[in-house]
Structure formats: C-alpha cells, structure tokens
Amino acid sequence: MTPYGSFSFFIIIAILLAPTVILGLKEKRFYVYNIVISVIVLALIFGSFWNEAITLILFTIWQVLLIKGYWVYRRKANSTFIFCLAVILSILPLTISKLSPFLFHLHLIGFLGISYLTFKGTQMIMETRDGLIKNKIPIVQLLYFILFFPTISSGPIDRYRRFEKDLKAEISKEQYKILLYDGINKIFIGFLYKYIIGFSINHYFIINLPNITNNAFQEQLYYMYGYSLYLFFDFAGYSAFAIGVSYIMGIKSPENFNKPFISRNIKDFWNRWHLSLSFWFRDYVYMRFIFWVTKKKWIKNRNLSSNLGYILLFLLMGFWHGLAIQYILYGIYHAVIMVLYNSFEQFNKKHKWWKDNKFTKVVAIIITFHFICFGFLIFSGHLIH
C-alpha cells in the first residue's frame, strides 16, 4: 500500500488515528498507542513486499547499531577517522541502492523511503559528533523517530532534537485542538493540491499536449511550465498529507514548501523548495565542506570555497535523485546558476548595479521563475528524450 496513494489509505489512517484524537482531547498521552499504529501502518505499507520489508528491518538494525555504537564511542574519544567511517557506513546502503541498478542492472538493496531514513541516521551521527546529542537515546524512541510512518516515504526530513522535544511536550486539551485543526486543514490542502490541481494539470493539460500543438518548441515550452506546476502541487500535496497526519499524532513535522515560485533568486528558491532536503544538504554537506576547507586552510578565498561548496552540494543532490542523465544535468545546472548568482551577488554588493525596489523585485521573481522551470524541464527528462 502506497502512503497517501489511495482513499483506502486515508480511511485506514482515520480509523487508526481516532483513539489518538480522543486521547489528545482528553489530555492523555498517546505516545505508546502511536507506536502501535506506526507498526500497523508500516506492516500495511510493506506487507505485500517481503523483500522490501526484510531489507527495511536489516537497514534499521544497521542504522541503530551505528548510531548507538558511535554515541558510546563519542563519550570516550573523537577521532575524525572513526567519525568519517561511521558516516560512510551509514550512507553505504543508500549508495548501494543507487549504484546497483546502474552497475549490475538489478536492485541489491532498496525499499520505499531508504533515502529519507538514511538522512535521519546520518544526521544523528553528525550531531552526536558535534555534541548536540549527548543523552542516551531509548531504543524505542530511536526506532520511532527513524520509522515515523507519516514521513517515511518522501519526508519532510525531521531533526531528532526537534522531534524529541515534541515527544516530551505535555500537550493540553486546547493545544491539541489547535494541532488537530491544523492537521486536518493541511490534509484538505493536500487533497486540493495533489488530487485536484496536480491531477488536473497532468490529466487535462500535460497528457494532451500533443493534441494542443504540433510545434516541437511550443510543446517543450508548455510542458516546461505545466510540469513545473504539476511537480509543485503533487509534491506539496504529499508533504501536506505527511505534515497533517504528523500534527494529529502530536509531532509538528517541519514545513517543506514556502511559496517557491515567488523566489527572487536561486538562493531564495532553495530556501523555499523542499526545505527539509535543501536544509539537510546545506547543513551537512555545504556547511561542513566550508568548515573543513577553512579549518585546514586549503582555500583562503571565501567566494571560491563557497562556490566549490555549491558545486559539491548540487552535484550530490543530482546524483542522489538518480544516475539517469537528466538528474546529473539537473544538479550541474543548479550548481552553475548558483555559482553565477553568487558571483553576481558579490559584484552587486560593491557596485550596486541591481537596485532593490518594487520593480526589480517583480523582475527578479519573473526571471527566477523561468530559470526554475527550465531546471524542472531538465529534471523531467523530457528535454533529452
């Protein structure tokens, strides 16, 4: 059963969450019950795919052993080699999952949500290294965080410390009413985005493009805008479902989108689009790269180190999406325009060539929108097929 992929899934979730709602409105803790329904929902999602279910179990054991093992080690020592080894071992299953179809033409490891579970495990190792996770984590709480079912397939990617804070919070009746209202509201927004707007764009516009125009350039142009809007509404709708269900369970999962199509530049876009993923790559790839090259004094020019960090970040993001040529080109495209914008931004700070007023803001939004849409055209693979 695909999460949020059918109305039967929502009916089952509504039935399972009914006791959670009752407990919340009576100011009773629902942590234990939510763990139980998480196990049930995971069984429903993976029950028909025993190979994926077994892989998920083995993967989870692997991540838990790494997280627990590194936490014990970190209390005694702080070797960079051991830290790097732990991170490499954490991302190893995901790496095998991405490379095996390309190298061996078969899926050696893989299951729904392996990327997002890997991000959670890897970030916990990194935050343990940084001293942000100090206290011993109960095994059940750790499993609940890693396997939190509302966000298991495509995020949002939560941070453990934020998640733990919600778990330990005492929620009053009035506070839960607000969470319940916001959760239900987000679920309805999800239906509007994914199953009404997104479905309509795909079913009534994109699929019918060959009948709309016989001009190849016009078809590419229409597809570019149509696909960009469809991708947003489909993914934002899914995220709204995941966040809404999380709210009902007492967990305020982070937002994933913040009006990305009114971004004024490419940096602004990545602070609005798929926020949990872009912030994950920013914090655990870009910032660490900058910290390392600065600490080691490998690169003294800040702009150069920043640009190299952007190139590394977006190349990794492109390869993470897959080894198909369109994903790699998508990563390269965003790396290039990010470097170009970063260079322009530094130039403009000195020369004040691009003024900051209402007119330039509107122009910047229009220009950025077109660059974003062209990137999604690359991502779709429609341009090269």
Side-chain angles (χ1 to χ4, degrees), residues 233-248:
F233 284 109
D234 185 74
F235 197 6
Y238 162 83
S239 295
F241 289 143
I243 295 169
V245 174
S246 300
Y247 275 29
I248 296 172

Side-chain angles (χ1 to χ4, degrees), residues 141-313:
Q141 189 169 300
L142 177 58
L143 289 171
Y144 187 49
F145 169 69
I146 294 175
L147 299 172
F148 188 58
F149 86 81
T151 61
I152 193 169
S153 61
S154 297
I157 308 166
D158 210 345
R159 305 293 175 96
Y160 175 75
R161 288 175 296 142
R162 200 218 60 76
F163 186 88
E164 182 187 37
K165 184 178 179 181
D166 283 356
L167 278 185
K168 294 182 176 180
E170 294 291 336
I171 305 175
S172 67
K173 179 180 179 179
E174 295 305 316
Q175 289 173 326
Y176 186 73
K177 281 183 179 179
I178 295 173
L179 279 176
L180 179 61
Y181 172 81
D182 289 343
I184 294 173
N185 186 53
K186 286 183 180 296
I187 291 172
F188 276 105
I189 289 174
F191 276 110
L192 173 65
Y193 279 16
K194 184 175 177 66
Y195 288 115
I196 298 179
I197 300 177
F199 174 82
S200 298
I201 291 172
N202 185 52
H203 188 74
Y204 296 109
F205 181 70
I206 295 177
I207 293 178
N208 291 317
L209 276 179
N211 301 324
I212 296 174
T213 176
N214 293 321
N215 185 291
F217 174 77
Q218 284 186 339
E219 183 179 339
Q220 290 283 10
L221 194 66
Y222 293 161
Y223 183 87
M224 179 177 78
Y225 296 121
Y227 179 77
S228 297
L229 293 173
Y230 164 74
L231 189 64
F232 166 72
F233 284 109
D234 185 74
F235 197 6
Y238 162 83
S239 295
F241 289 143
I243 295 169
V245 174
S246 300
Y247 275 29
I248 296 172
M249 296 176 70
I251 301 295
K252 296 194 71 173
S253 291
E255 294 291 336
N256 232 6
F257 295 91
N258 180 24
K259 302 174 183 177
F261 291 134
I262 63 169
S263 304
R264 289 189 288 169
N265 54 66
I266 195 63
K267 286 185 179 179
D268 189 28
F269 171 74
W270 284 109
N271 286 325
R272 294 171 177 271
W273 177 271
H274 205 343
L275 299 177
S276 62
L277 178 68
S278 61
F279 289 171
W280 193 97
F281 274 96
R282 179 199 67 187
D283 294 344
Y284 300 112
V285 176
Y286 175 81
M287 293 304 297
R288 286 184 180 272
F289 172 81
I290 297 298
F291 174 76
W292 277 27
V293 297
T294 302
K295 182 181 179 181
K296 300 294 183 180
K297 297 181 180 179
W298 292 338
I299 303 173
K300 295 182 179 180
N301 187 301
R302 290 186 178 181
N303 288 336
L304 177 59
S305 61
S306 180
N307 287 335
L308 289 175
Y310 287 133
I311 292 170
L312 174 64
L313 184 155

Side-chain angles (χ1 to χ4, degrees), residues 111-130:
F111 57 86
L112 182 70
I114 185 172
S115 293
Y116 295 91
L117 269 59
T118 300
F119 290 144
K120 286 183 178 183
T122 304
Q123 80 180 17
M124 291 191 72
I125 292 172
M126 291 183 170
E127 292 190 349
T128 300
R129 155 83 169 195
D130 296 340

